[in-house]
Amino acid sequence: MKFPVLLTYRIPSGPARALDEACDVERLDERPVTRERLMARLPGKLALICLLTERIDRAVLDAGRDLKVVANIAVGYDNIDVAAARERGIVVTNTPDVLTEATAECTWALILAAARRIPEGERLLRRGAWTGWALDFMLGTELAGKQLGIVGMGRIGRAVAARAPAFGMRVVYAEAGDHPAPQVDGAARVSLDELLVGSDVVSLHVPLTPETRHLIDRRALARMRRTAILVNTSRGPVVDEAALAWALEERLIAAAALDVYEREPAVHPALVALENVVLAPHMGSGTIETRTAMADLAVRNVLAVLNGRPPITPVPSP
Ligand code: DGY
């Protein structure tokens, strides 16, 4: 008999085939999946494969009373109540590692876009406002010789740091709170305050936890250099968007580049109105290779658990 599985969104054909071979898969191929529908379809399912946009809280887990595993197709798992899952004996898995390079590449795309004002220039050109080359036209800032401050030196933070020498940047890093972090060659660990005060680019790579929610608030933004650029490819609520809009309007920092938002897909209207912020629609891991690998890892986690083997990438205990 095949294992009954609920899949909330379509996945690439390779992992889909592997899943279909062993499982009887119900697909909720709709966006957004309503809570009611999710909860109505969960009873009887042994596994749930879900996206970061679906909130898997106590009520959803109660509806999934037969669940053995919840496999999130994301490295971040702040959408899942992991403690509640654990209480119910449900394994939770995520997709670390496979999206590290794609997210690091996207982070650099955002750093460069903000430093060199590429989206702002393109907007101007497309509206026909470009009057030709001029010595002082839309000047950006150079990265060479500057300091990159990485907040959260996990896998993605390290991959971003590894690319810094190519742009002639030195790297410092800090953790939120007292988190231990491995020694990283060529990068100095400093306090968060020192990082904010001394960095030309501040890039955020922490998970969303109660400790990191609004880690970058008015006070933190006021500590940054007036010439600094803030980049966020982690989770939206790590930055207080209203405070960021204020800091950008007041020119307390020079620019920002965001891939994630506090209330996705909504973006704070004050940010949308500003020229000095690059706004990307949560696409850090968005390459064909990476999204396929993420779905593949989620499927392999489900198959492992349903076949009585340990999960490949369980999320750590809360
Ligand atoms: C993740 O996996 O957590 C990313 O945000 C997806 O892009």
Side-chain angles (χ1 to χ4, degrees), residues 37-96:
R37 182 139 156 80
L38 185 58
M39 287 165 73
R41 303 316 306 161
L42 269 176
K45 303 297 189 309
L46 296 182
L48 168 66
I49 304 180
C50 59
L51 304 183
L52 60 87
T53 46
E54 285 130 20
R55 195 156 56 84
I56 312 299
D57 57 15
R58 283 177 187 270
V60 173
L61 293 166
D62 282 339
R65 50 188 167 268
D66 304 299
L67 283 174
K68 294 195 175 324
V69 54
V70 173
N72 210 30
I73 310 183
V75 66
Y77 48 86
D78 47 280
N79 58 313
I80 301 176
D81 188 334
V82 178
R86 200 140 291 166
E87 279 161 32
R88 290 159 179 73
I90 302 169
V91 173
V92 179
T93 66
N94 65 342
T95 60

Side-chain angles (χ1 to χ4, degrees), residues 52 74-76 99 235 282 285 291 294:
L52 60 87
V75 66
L99 46 66
R235 280 291 181 265
H282 202 152
S285 64
R291 291 287 165 84
M294 289 164 70

Side-chain angles (χ1 to χ4, degrees), residues 183-268:
Q183 208 48 51
V184 178
D185 283 349
R189 181 166 179 175
V190 296
S191 70
L192 179 59
D193 191 63
E194 283 172 285
L195 182 147
L196 294 172
V197 169
S199 297
D200 301 288
V201 176
V202 174
S203 191
L204 306 175
H205 301 286
V206 288
L208 176 62
T209 64
E211 193 179 28
T212 62
R213 184 173 293 273
H214 285 190
L215 183 70
I216 303 301
D217 56 8
R218 270 184 177 240
R219 199 204 60 84
L221 289 158
R223 298 293 288 157
M224 289 174 66
R225 296 183 166 190
R226 284 187 172 264
T227 50
I229 298 169
L230 176 73
V231 180
N232 189 12
T233 55
S234 62
R235 280 291 181 265
V238 173
V239 176
D240 178 342
E241 278 176 11
L244 176 61
W246 162 80
L248 289 166
E249 273 160 10
E250 298 294 320
R251 299 273 165 181
L252 291 187
I253 65 171
L258 308 176
D259 185 45
V260 287
Y261 304 90
E262 283 198 80
R263 279 168 285 275
E264 294 178 11
V267 179
H268 196 295

